[in-house]
Amino acid sequence: MLIKKPDDIKSSEITPQSIYEGRREFLKGAGIVAGASLLPGIATAQVGAGLKAPAPAGLQASPAAPWLREKFTSVSPAPDAEPFFTEEALTPYDDVTRYNNFYEFGMDKSDPSSNSGEFKTDPWSVEIAGEVAKPGNYTLEDMLKPHDLEERVYRLRCVEAWSMVIPWVGFPLADLIKRFEPTSKAKFVEFETLVDDDSMPGIRSRFAIVRWPYREGLRMDEAMNPLTFMAVGLYGQTLPAQNGAPMRLVVPWKYGFKSIKSIVKINFRETMPNTTWVDLQAREYGFYANVNPAVHHPRWRQDMERRLPQTLFDRKVIPTLPFNGYGEQVADLYKGMDLSRYY
Amino acid sequence: MRGVRSGVFVLALVPFGALCLRVVQNDLGPDPAKELSLATGEWALRFLLLALAMTPLRVLTGRLEFAQRRRMIGLFALFYSSVHLLVWMAFLLGFRWGAIAEELVERPYITLGFAAYVILFALGVTSPRVMVRRLGRNWRRLHRLVYAAGVLAIAHLVWIVRTDLVEAVAYGSVLLGLLAWRVYFNRGAIFRRLA
């Protein structure tokens, strides 16, 4: 394994030009706001200004490294059309950040937001391993430095038959992968989530049946698809812990559990990785886990979904689409495959 | 004692009242159908275990009140499981009868849960004193099925566990304890029958 040597000038001390220019934009924006109001919360809310989905007014920024927050001053807004944007109503910030499956923090949907107070995302490093020309341990800052952030509004379909519409901030996974120069042997990418007993109470549970760390994977062509996204934020803000801070995968045509959170390792492999859910229940979960209304999960029927948020008297139950509505972009990846067998 | 009876009755309705309040106030979170089905299912299981605890409590404390409340508490288990079933049919499946029929057959945990419900329903219908008299010895035989309902309910719970068994283990241990007490308490009769 190759460990990067520190340069004479710390990379954190170099301000890339895009951020430098973005900072001017930010200062201009902040100036206008300061003229209008002296409330400090508003300046935070302005960070997402210009995006399709800016942060809700008065939102307290989640704790993140200063260099990362600065990167958020120049995010390019989502385009106007599918597949990188959808007109569907956004799931409000509070629901996106308080209704989560992140079993390292507990079993209930509200556990990740209430139990993640001790979670630290700075410093953070990611190990690149396996079939690549440039393996090593990289700091998150080095990892993200060359990538400009963009906004994408995607549908998220959970295998439990609920769904949300979420405005992510991040960059295409393909751009990241290319930098590490995978070899011709790299047929699959495997990801791992952090395991930290101290800050993740779910891991301390004696009755957990998961073998940590949480692992997920993609076939190389799936990983290189333009839809596949590495998210570092949502609603124009850095990710809260419960949503997978500081960096998580978003694969919108697959069930949510494929979109692994809080990544600490990316491993390039020749063979299909053994993922957490397949490991736990191979009869129930497959490696591909593409959203498919025609193939029911043994526990949940998949032809409909509950779009959140809903109330009992205004239940938005809508039909689930093949590949979660992204078939035009990804159906070709599975040509000739029997999707009821490779679920 | 009339006072104790009404007291228990009102107390048993408190969780239902609290849930109704949350419905009215729209305080069930972004996925209320799921939340409501989880909450009503858990209360149904709690009342079923509570009903099973009445006889051991009577024997251990010598207080007859426990035996006298057994039927009411059992009926509350039926009440909460009926609400649980209705919530599932109405809010999770929107009364799509085709889908409901498919779920009952194709999802094993739903089949098990429904089997537990059918038992509780049969016990509820045969709970009035008239039925006890009419069924005679068969009443006891029929009502022994409550143990099967308990086991089915726990299996229903275990089967929906995704990553952590802690709740299923907790409720399962209570059931196991209650069953073990019965085996121990009736060991004489059991050995005689086996001999």
Side-chain angles (χ1 to χ4, degrees):
Chain A
M1 193 198 306
L2 188 140
I3 311 281
K4 287 197 95 186
K5 284 187 204 137
D7 298 317
D8 289 337
I9 303 170
K10 269 200 209 151
S11 55
S12 60
E13 286 164 15
I14 303 168
T15 308
Q17 192 177 358
S18 62
I19 286 176
Y20 175 68
E21 282 163 4
R23 184 193 280 164
R24 290 193 156 186
E25 291 297 317
F26 173 67
L27 288 175
K28 261 188 263 168
I32 292 162
V33 173
S37 159
L38 291 171
L39 289 173
I42 305 280
T44 310
Q46 287 296 304
V47 170
L51 294 182
K52 288 282 195 303
L59 180 79
Q60 288 294 310
S62 27
W67 64 264
L68 183 57
R69 256 181 286 157
E70 199 161 272
K71 228 171 148 52
F72 274 74
T73 55
S74 54
V75 179
S76 32
D80 286 321
E82 294 261 356
F84 297 154
F85 174 73
T86 170
E87 301 260 344
E88 292 157 278
L90 292 170
T91 303
Y93 183 88
D94 279 352
D95 295 323
V96 173
T97 56
R98 286 184 205 167
Y99 193 83
N100 309 92
N101 280 335
F102 196 164
Y103 295 106
E104 285 84 338
F105 292 112
M107 290 186 294
D108 293 336
K109 297 285 184 284
S110 57
D111 284 345
S113 54
S114 32
N115 296 345
S116 57
E118 299 294 306
F119 189 68
K120 299 275 184 295
T121 57
D122 184 32
W124 191 273
S125 64
V126 181
E127 183 190 347
I128 303 287
E131 309 290 345
V132 276
K134 297 175 173 172
N137 272 316
Y138 295 86
T139 65
L140 188 67
E141 188 176 6
D142 285 339
M143 196 97 182
L144 301 185
K145 205 185 311 170
H147 301 285
D148 291 329
L149 298 184
E150 58 186 281
E151 182 191 36
R152 290 200 184 174
V153 182
Y154 279 157
R155 293 175 286 275
L156 175 106
R157 171 61 158 79
C158 178
V159 70
E160 296 168 359
W162 52 266
S163 64
M164 293 183 176
V165 177
I166 304 176
W168 300 108
V169 173
F171 54 95
L173 176 65
D175 293 353
L176 184 84
I177 288 178
K178 282 177 206 153
R179 281 171 54 207
F180 300 105
E181 298 169 19
T183 70
S184 58
K185 279 190 180 169
K187 303 284 198 301
F188 294 91
V189 200
E190 179 182 34
F191 303 88
E192 267 181 37
T193 298
L194 177 77
V195 181
D196 180 30
D197 281 33
D198 294 336
S199 61
M200 295 172 146
I203 286 174
R204 297 198 295 265
S205 167
R206 290 171 179 212
F207 296 99
I209 51 177
V210 180
R211 286 194 302 130
W212 313 106
Y214 190 92
R215 277 155 296 133
E216 261 309 336
L218 296 171
R219 216 168 57 189
M220 204 60 182
D221 57 348
E222 297 177 322
M224 299 303 286
N225 187 279
L227 279 176
T228 310
F229 200 58
M230 208 48 133
V232 292
L234 56 82
Y235 272 99
Q237 287 283 324
T238 52
L239 286 174
Q242 62 269 30
N243 295 88
M247 183 170 82
R248 55 97 44 96
L249 190 65
V250 179
V251 196
W253 74 93
K254 293 175 180 285
Y255 293 119
F257 64 82
K258 293 296 287 184
S259 294
I260 184 169
K261 293 170 169 172
S262 305
I263 296 167
V264 291
K265 186 174 177 184
I266 304 176
N267 187 23
F268 294 82
R269 310 168 45 119
E270 193 168 10
T271 54
M272 186 181 277
N274 191 12
T275 62
T276 291
W277 293 104
V278 175
D279 193 31
L280 208 57
Q281 274 293 351
R283 276 187 306 171
E284 297 190 9
Y285 301 91
F287 174 80
Y288 290 97
N290 294 318
V291 175
N292 188 349
V295 177
H296 292 314
H297 185 278
R299 301 177 196 208
W300 304 280
R301 57 186 301 119
Q302 302 295 9
D303 56 348
M304 306 283 260
E305 64 199 52
R306 303 189 300 283
R307 179 57 57 84
L308 306 188
Q310 50 175 229
T311 70
L312 285 182
F313 312 107
D314 176 23
R315 295 170 51 251
K316 285 161 279 183
V317 180
I318 55 175
T320 290
L321 301 173
F323 300 109
N324 203 19
Y326 299 100
E328 210 176 299
Q329 287 75 34
V330 299
D332 279 351
L333 294 171
Y334 311 101
K335 225 181 230 165
M337 280 174 66
D338 177 2
L339 293 178
S340 61
R341 209 176 139 221
Y342 297 100
Y343 50 82
Chain B
M1 278 177 58
R2 200 136 275 245
V4 176
R5 191 153 98 195
S6 347
V8 172
F9 186 84
V10 169
L11 213 58
L13 276 173
V14 166
F16 181 71
L19 279 176
C20 288
L21 201 66
R22 289 179 68 195
V23 171
V24 173
Q25 294 177 331
N26 197 16
D27 179 33
L28 288 160
D31 196 358
K34 184 72 177 290
E35 177 69 24
L36 207 53
S37 102
L38 290 176
T40 51
E42 192 162 5
W43 280 110
L45 179 60
R46 286 172 182 167
F47 274 98
L48 180 57
L49 294 174
L50 201 61
L52 282 169
M54 288 300 112
T55 302
L57 283 173
R58 186 208 62 201
V59 173
L60 294 174
T61 62
R63 296 189 72 97
L64 222 54
E65 289 91 338
F66 286 114
Q68 289 161 345
R69 296 290 82 77
R70 189 176 65 173
R71 179 171 66 180
M72 187 200 282
I73 290 170
L75 284 170
F76 269 108
L78 174 62
F79 170 71
Y80 279 102
S81 51
S82 302
V83 179
H84 180 54
L85 182 69
L86 272 171
V87 163
W88 174 72
M89 291 198 295
F91 297 129
L92 284 173
L93 290 169
F95 287 122
R96 287 178 291 139
W97 296 105
I100 291 172
E102 254 178 56
E103 293 297 276
L104 283 174
V105 179
E106 284 174 21
R107 313 268 165 268
Y109 82 94
I110 289 173
T111 315
L112 294 180
F114 190 70
Y117 181 76
V118 170
I119 292 176
L120 290 186
F121 189 81
L123 303 193
V125 173
T126 56
S127 67
R129 233 154 259 167
V130 199
M131 294 302 285
V132 181
R133 243 175 284 131
R134 195 176 295 173
L135 286 170
R137 285 183 56 192
N138 287 329
W139 190 90
R140 288 201 70 149
R141 283 189 194 147
L142 179 69
H143 279 249
R144 283 208 185 106
L145 282 176
V146 70
Y147 306 124
V151 173
L152 287 167
I154 295 294
H156 173 69
L157 179 64
V158 170
W159 216 306
I160 51 176
V161 163
R162 284 197 75 186
T163 61
D164 198 311
L165 282 166
V166 65
E167 270 184 4
V169 167
Y171 286 117
S173 315
V174 173
L175 179 69
L176 204 67
L178 292 170
L179 294 183
W181 180 85
R182 279 172 169 81
V183 171
Y184 178 75
F185 188 70
N186 297 313
R187 63 191 181 282
I190 292 169
F191 285 141
R192 242 173 286 133
R193 198 175 306 164
L194 287 175

